[in-house]
Amino acid sequence: MLNVGIDIGGTKIAGGVVAPDGRILERLRVPTPTDTDALARAVADMVAELAARHEVNAVGVAAAGYIDRSRSVMLHAPNIDWHNAPLRAQFEALIGRPVTLENDANAAGWGEYRFGAGRGSTDMVMVTLGTGVGGAVITDGHLLIGANGSAAELGHLRFVRGGRPCGCGQNGCLEQYASGRALQRELSDIADAGGVGARVAARRNAAGIVPGADLALLLDEGDEGALEAVRRVATALGEACGAFQAVLDPDLIVVGGGVAGLGDALLEPTRLAYDTSLPGFGERPTARFVTASLGNDAGLVGVADLAGLRSTAEVAAASAAGGLGRR
């Protein structure tokens, strides 16, 4: 059975028809309207267009924000004017089909677990390093959502007491030390210090930041300034992953997001910091580290799969209760 996945971002809405094996059969993309009513209509129009060409079972919608445990109400969204918004009911009324609402990082983590780098795992942590830090946790094959629906906000682990201010209102959160923004801060600090930062400074001064392609080139050439900046971010990530291991005991840690494109230059120092911060290291099993494989499709694929699974579970529960199949 085919399901539609919708991934709502701050600037674009991506949608697609997803097969049970995770393949995307058709894609659509539109800009994200600033008006929330227009946004809901845009999602409904996208689903209608896809459903006109495919037999669609259920619809999943992923968006950044805090969603209640029932996966019905968006309590707070950082980029869109949603506050205690009953999004599931609103989308279902417009779409006329069952809708699953899920946090975008959870959806991406589920996509990787089911069809990407996490296949074969039973307990997985995914950390996404983009502008901020997102996360998802799979425990014994189930997506962890927590008592109030807001579990796995890994980027807002208090990492440094009294540390850098964070957009969430706290100080010292992990995303201030292990995100794409944090990497640019470290590159800038190294550039300003001179010495080994001279080549980093040249790239930074030309573009205002160090573009990803320039950073990759500096790393390939063994530039010490670039390597040091990545080591600082990787060390923060690895130390946090040691803490995740102590609490969650995953068999796999998947690193995604734009910063993960640095590959071994990021993962090797991350693993070293993880090893040196892990309680009982050397006498206990440890997690494997891999980079995510689905890229920007992870959220779309993941939320479509969740919609299909939840729809199937609801039908099975209703059938078992005698609510279906009566003549």
Side-chain angles (χ1 to χ4, degrees), residues 16-56:
V17 176
V18 181
D21 62 1
R23 289 178 299 123
I24 300 176
L25 305 182
E26 183 180 354
R27 304 169 185 267
L28 294 175
R29 178 179 293 186
V30 298
T32 303
T34 55
D35 177 76
T36 54
D37 288 338
L39 191 160
R41 289 193 297 272
V43 169
D45 289 346
M46 182 177 285
V47 173
E49 183 176 347
L50 292 169
R53 294 189 287 273
H54 303 272
E55 187 173 349
V56 172

Short mmCIF file of all heavy atoms in Angstrom, two decimals, residues 16-56:
data_model
loop_
_atom_site.label_atom_id
_atom_site.label_comp_id
_atom_site.label_asym_id
_atom_site.label_seq_id
_atom_site.Cartn_x
_atom_site.Cartn_y
_atom_site.Cartn_z
N GLY A 16 5.89 13.37 -1.20
CA GLY A 16 6.16 12.25 -2.10
C GLY A 16 5.29 11.06 -1.79
O GLY A 16 4.78 10.90 -0.67
N VAL A 17 5.11 10.22 -2.79
CA VAL A 17 4.42 8.94 -2.64
C VAL A 17 5.47 7.89 -2.37
O VAL A 17 6.44 7.75 -3.13
CB VAL A 17 3.63 8.58 -3.91
CG1 VAL A 17 2.99 7.21 -3.78
CG2 VAL A 17 2.56 9.64 -4.18
N VAL A 18 5.30 7.15 -1.27
CA VAL A 18 6.33 6.22 -0.81
C VAL A 18 5.78 4.80 -0.80
O VAL A 18 4.71 4.53 -0.26
CB VAL A 18 6.81 6.60 0.61
CG1 VAL A 18 7.90 5.64 1.09
CG2 VAL A 18 7.34 8.04 0.61
N ALA A 19 6.55 3.89 -1.41
CA ALA A 19 6.20 2.48 -1.45
C ALA A 19 6.57 1.81 -0.13
O ALA A 19 7.36 2.35 0.65
CB ALA A 19 6.91 1.80 -2.62
N PRO A 20 6.05 0.60 0.14
CA PRO A 20 6.37 -0.08 1.40
C PRO A 20 7.84 -0.38 1.60
O PRO A 20 8.29 -0.56 2.73
CB PRO A 20 5.56 -1.38 1.29
CG PRO A 20 4.41 -1.05 0.39
CD PRO A 20 4.98 -0.10 -0.61
N ASP A 21 8.62 -0.41 0.52
CA ASP A 21 10.06 -0.65 0.66
C ASP A 21 10.87 0.64 0.77
O ASP A 21 12.10 0.61 0.74
CB ASP A 21 10.59 -1.49 -0.51
CG ASP A 21 10.41 -0.81 -1.87
OD1 ASP A 21 9.89 0.34 -1.91
OD2 ASP A 21 10.77 -1.42 -2.90
N GLY A 22 10.19 1.76 0.92
CA GLY A 22 10.88 3.04 1.11
C GLY A 22 11.19 3.80 -0.15
O GLY A 22 11.72 4.92 -0.08
N ARG A 23 10.88 3.26 -1.32
CA ARG A 23 11.14 3.98 -2.57
C ARG A 23 10.15 5.13 -2.74
O ARG A 23 8.97 4.99 -2.46
CB ARG A 23 11.02 3.05 -3.78
CG ARG A 23 12.14 2.04 -3.90
CD ARG A 23 11.90 1.13 -5.10
NE ARG A 23 10.67 0.38 -4.96
CZ ARG A 23 9.66 0.41 -5.83
NH1 ARG A 23 9.74 1.18 -6.93
NH2 ARG A 23 8.58 -0.32 -5.62
N ILE A 24 10.67 6.27 -3.20
CA ILE A 24 9.81 7.42 -3.50
C ILE A 24 9.40 7.32 -4.96
O ILE A 24 10.23 7.37 -5.87
CB ILE A 24 10.53 8.74 -3.22
CG1 ILE A 24 10.94 8.82 -1.75
CG2 ILE A 24 9.63 9.92 -3.58
CD1 ILE A 24 11.75 10.05 -1.40
N LEU A 25 8.10 7.17 -5.21
CA LEU A 25 7.60 6.96 -6.56
C LEU A 25 7.33 8.26 -7.30
O LEU A 25 7.38 8.31 -8.52
CB LEU A 25 6.32 6.12 -6.51
CG LEU A 25 6.44 4.78 -5.78
CD1 LEU A 25 5.12 4.03 -5.85
CD2 LEU A 25 7.57 3.94 -6.37
N GLU A 26 7.01 9.30 -6.57
CA GLU A 26 6.79 10.63 -7.17
C GLU A 26 7.04 11.68 -6.10
O GLU A 26 6.73 11.47 -4.93
CB GLU A 26 5.37 10.77 -7.72
CG GLU A 26 5.16 12.11 -8.43
CD GLU A 26 3.76 12.30 -9.00
OE1 GLU A 26 2.96 11.34 -8.94
OE2 GLU A 26 3.46 13.41 -9.46
N ARG A 27 7.58 12.82 -6.53
CA ARG A 27 7.90 13.91 -5.61
C ARG A 27 7.23 15.20 -6.05
O ARG A 27 7.05 15.44 -7.24
CB ARG A 27 9.41 14.19 -5.58
CG ARG A 27 10.30 13.03 -5.24
CD ARG A 27 11.76 13.44 -5.54
NE ARG A 27 12.69 12.34 -5.35
CZ ARG A 27 13.33 12.11 -4.21
NH1 ARG A 27 13.14 12.91 -3.18
NH2 ARG A 27 14.15 11.08 -4.10
N LEU A 28 6.93 16.05 -5.08
CA LEU A 28 6.49 17.41 -5.33
C LEU A 28 7.18 18.32 -4.34
O LEU A 28 7.56 17.89 -3.24
CB LEU A 28 4.97 17.54 -5.17
CG LEU A 28 4.08 16.81 -6.16
CD1 LEU A 28 2.62 16.97 -5.75
CD2 LEU A 28 4.29 17.32 -7.58
N ARG A 29 7.30 19.59 -4.70
CA ARG A 29 7.91 20.56 -3.79
C ARG A 29 7.29 21.93 -4.06
O ARG A 29 7.13 22.33 -5.22
CB ARG A 29 9.42 20.63 -3.99
CG ARG A 29 10.12 21.64 -3.11
CD ARG A 29 11.61 21.66 -3.32
NE ARG A 29 12.22 20.41 -2.88
CZ ARG A 29 13.54 20.21 -2.84
NH1 ARG A 29 14.37 21.14 -3.23
NH2 ARG A 29 14.02 19.07 -2.41
N VAL A 30 6.93 22.64 -2.98
CA VAL A 30 6.39 23.99 -3.10
C VAL A 30 7.00 24.84 -2.00
O VAL A 30 7.44 24.32 -0.96
CB VAL A 30 4.85 24.02 -3.00
CG1 VAL A 30 4.21 23.22 -4.11
CG2 VAL A 30 4.38 23.52 -1.64
N PRO A 31 7.06 26.17 -2.18
CA PRO A 31 7.52 27.04 -1.09
C PRO A 31 6.58 26.96 0.11
O PRO A 31 5.37 26.75 -0.04
CB PRO A 31 7.51 28.44 -1.72
CG PRO A 31 7.47 28.21 -3.19
CD PRO A 31 6.75 26.92 -3.41
N THR A 32 7.12 27.16 1.31
CA THR A 32 6.29 27.14 2.52
C THR A 32 5.61 28.50 2.70
O THR A 32 6.29 29.51 2.87
CB THR A 32 7.16 26.85 3.76
OG1 THR A 32 7.84 25.61 3.59
CG2 THR A 32 6.30 26.78 5.02
N PRO A 33 4.27 28.54 2.66
CA PRO A 33 3.58 29.81 2.89
C PRO A 33 3.83 30.31 4.32
O PRO A 33 4.00 29.51 5.25
CB PRO A 33 2.10 29.46 2.69
CG PRO A 33 2.11 28.20 1.88
CD PRO A 33 3.33 27.45 2.32
N THR A 34 3.85 31.61 4.49
CA THR A 34 4.03 32.16 5.84
C THR A 34 2.73 32.12 6.64
O THR A 34 2.77 32.03 7.86
CB THR A 34 4.54 33.61 5.75
OG1 THR A 34 3.64 34.38 4.94
CG2 THR A 34 5.94 33.66 5.13
N ASP A 35 1.60 32.19 5.97
CA ASP A 35 0.31 32.11 6.64
C ASP A 35 -0.03 30.65 6.93
O ASP A 35 0.05 29.79 6.04
CB ASP A 35 -0.77 32.72 5.75
CG ASP A 35 -2.15 32.60 6.35
OD1 ASP A 35 -2.46 33.36 7.28
OD2 ASP A 35 -2.90 31.70 5.91
N THR A 36 -0.42 30.35 8.17
CA THR A 36 -0.62 28.95 8.55
C THR A 36 -1.82 28.31 7.84
O THR A 36 -1.79 27.11 7.55
CB THR A 36 -0.77 28.82 10.07
OG1 THR A 36 -1.82 29.68 10.52
CG2 THR A 36 0.53 29.18 10.78
N ASP A 37 -2.87 29.08 7.60
CA ASP A 37 -4.01 28.52 6.87
C ASP A 37 -3.61 28.19 5.43
O ASP A 37 -4.00 27.14 4.88
CB ASP A 37 -5.18 29.50 6.87
CG ASP A 37 -5.85 29.60 8.23
OD1 ASP A 37 -5.71 28.65 9.03
OD2 ASP A 37 -6.50 30.63 8.50
N ALA A 38 -2.84 29.08 4.81
CA ALA A 38 -2.37 28.82 3.46
C ALA A 38 -1.43 27.62 3.43
O ALA A 38 -1.43 26.83 2.48
CB ALA A 38 -1.66 30.05 2.90
N LEU A 39 -0.65 27.46 4.49
CA LEU A 39 0.25 26.31 4.57
C LEU A 39 -0.56 25.02 4.61
O LEU A 39 -0.24 24.05 3.91
CB LEU A 39 1.13 26.45 5.81
CG LEU A 39 2.32 25.49 5.96
CD1 LEU A 39 3.35 26.08 6.94
CD2 LEU A 39 1.90 24.12 6.44
N ALA A 40 -1.59 24.97 5.43
CA ALA A 40 -2.43 23.77 5.53
C ALA A 40 -3.07 23.45 4.19
O ALA A 40 -3.13 22.27 3.78
CB ALA A 40 -3.48 23.94 6.61
N ARG A 41 -3.53 24.47 3.49
CA ARG A 41 -4.14 24.24 2.18
C ARG A 41 -3.10 23.74 1.18
O ARG A 41 -3.41 22.89 0.33
CB ARG A 41 -4.81 25.52 1.68
CG ARG A 41 -6.08 25.89 2.43
CD ARG A 41 -6.85 26.98 1.69
NE ARG A 41 -6.09 28.22 1.59
CZ ARG A 41 -6.09 29.18 2.50
NH1 ARG A 41 -6.82 29.04 3.60
NH2 ARG A 41 -5.39 30.28 2.32
N ALA A 42 -1.88 24.26 1.27
CA ALA A 42 -0.81 23.81 0.37
C ALA A 42 -0.52 22.33 0.58
O ALA A 42 -0.30 21.57 -0.38
CB ALA A 42 0.44 24.65 0.58
N VAL A 43 -0.51 21.89 1.84
CA VAL A 43 -0.30 20.47 2.14
C VAL A 43 -1.44 19.64 1.56
O VAL A 43 -1.23 18.60 0.92
CB VAL A 43 -0.17 20.24 3.66
CG1 VAL A 43 -0.22 18.75 3.99
CG2 VAL A 43 1.12 20.86 4.19
N ALA A 44 -2.68 20.09 1.77
CA ALA A 44 -3.84 19.36 1.27
C ALA A 44 -3.82 19.29 -0.26
O ALA A 44 -4.12 18.23 -0.85
CB ALA A 44 -5.12 20.02 1.76
N ASP A 45 -3.46 20.38 -0.91
CA ASP A 45 -3.40 20.39 -2.37
C ASP A 45 -2.32 19.43 -2.88
O ASP A 45 -2.52 18.74 -3.90
CB ASP A 45 -3.10 21.80 -2.88
CG ASP A 45 -4.28 22.75 -2.69
OD1 ASP A 45 -5.40 22.27 -2.42
OD2 ASP A 45 -4.07 23.98 -2.78
N MET A 46 -1.20 19.37 -2.17
CA MET A 46 -0.13 18.47 -2.57
C MET A 46 -0.58 17.02 -2.45
O MET A 46 -0.35 16.20 -3.35
CB MET A 46 1.11 18.72 -1.70
CG MET A 46 2.31 17.88 -2.05
SD MET A 46 3.76 18.30 -1.04
CE MET A 46 4.27 19.85 -1.80
N VAL A 47 -1.25 16.69 -1.34
CA VAL A 47 -1.74 15.32 -1.17
C VAL A 47 -2.77 14.99 -2.26
O VAL A 47 -2.74 13.90 -2.84
CB VAL A 47 -2.36 15.14 0.22
CG1 VAL A 47 -3.02 13.77 0.34
CG2 VAL A 47 -1.29 15.30 1.30
N ALA A 48 -3.67 15.92 -2.54
CA ALA A 48 -4.70 15.68 -3.55
C ALA A 48 -4.08 15.42 -4.92
O ALA A 48 -4.51 14.52 -5.66
CB ALA A 48 -5.66 16.87 -3.62
N GLU A 49 -3.06 16.18 -5.26
CA GLU A 49 -2.40 15.99 -6.56
C GLU A 49 -1.73 14.63 -6.63
O GLU A 49 -1.83 13.93 -7.65
CB GLU A 49 -1.37 17.10 -6.78
CG GLU A 49 -0.69 17.02 -8.14
CD GLU A 49 0.26 18.17 -8.41
OE1 GLU A 49 0.21 19.17 -7.67
OE2 GLU A 49 1.05 18.06 -9.37
N LEU A 50 -1.07 14.22 -5.57
CA LEU A 50 -0.41 12.92 -5.56
C LEU A 50 -1.43 11.78 -5.55
O LEU A 50 -1.26 10.77 -6.26
CB LEU A 50 0.51 12.81 -4.35
CG LEU A 50 1.74 13.72 -4.36
CD1 LEU A 50 2.42 13.72 -2.99
CD2 LEU A 50 2.73 13.32 -5.45
N ALA A 51 -2.51 11.95 -4.79
CA ALA A 51 -3.52 10.89 -4.70
C ALA A 51 -4.31 10.74 -5.99
O ALA A 51 -4.89 9.67 -6.24
CB ALA A 51 -4.48 11.20 -3.54
N ALA A 52 -4.32 11.77 -6.82
CA ALA A 52 -5.01 11.66 -8.11
C ALA A 52 -4.29 10.70 -9.05
O ALA A 52 -4.90 10.18 -9.99
CB ALA A 52 -5.13 13.05 -8.75
N ARG A 53 -3.01 10.48 -8.80
CA ARG A 53 -2.22 9.60 -9.69
C ARG A 53 -1.80 8.29 -9.03
O ARG A 53 -1.19 7.44 -9.68
CB ARG A 53 -0.98 10.36 -10.18
CG ARG A 53 -1.32 11.55 -11.08
CD ARG A 53 -0.07 12.14 -11.70
NE ARG A 53 0.74 12.89 -10.74
CZ ARG A 53 0.56 14.17 -10.45
NH1 ARG A 53 -0.41 14.86 -11.02
NH2 ARG A 53 1.36 14.79 -9.59
N HIS A 54 -2.07 8.15 -7.72
CA HIS A 54 -1.66 6.95 -7.00
C HIS A 54 -2.75 6.55 -6.01
O HIS A 54 -3.49 7.40 -5.50
CB HIS A 54 -0.36 7.20 -6.22
CG HIS A 54 0.78 7.66 -7.06
ND1 HIS A 54 1.65 6.79 -7.69
CD2 HIS A 54 1.19 8.92 -7.40
CE1 HIS A 54 2.55 7.49 -8.35
NE2 HIS A 54 2.30 8.78 -8.21
N GLU A 55 -2.85 5.26 -5.72
CA GLU A 55 -3.79 4.79 -4.71
C GLU A 55 -3.15 4.94 -3.34
O GLU A 55 -2.24 4.19 -2.99
CB GLU A 55 -4.17 3.33 -4.97
CG GLU A 55 -5.28 2.83 -4.07
CD GLU A 55 -5.77 1.45 -4.44
OE1 GLU A 55 -5.40 0.96 -5.53
OE2 GLU A 55 -6.53 0.87 -3.64
N VAL A 56 -3.60 5.91 -2.59
CA VAL A 56 -2.94 6.30 -1.34
C VAL A 56 -3.72 5.77 -0.14
O VAL A 56 -4.95 5.92 -0.07
CB VAL A 56 -2.80 7.84 -1.26
CG1 VAL A 56 -2.29 8.26 0.10
CG2 VAL A 56 -1.87 8.33 -2.37
#
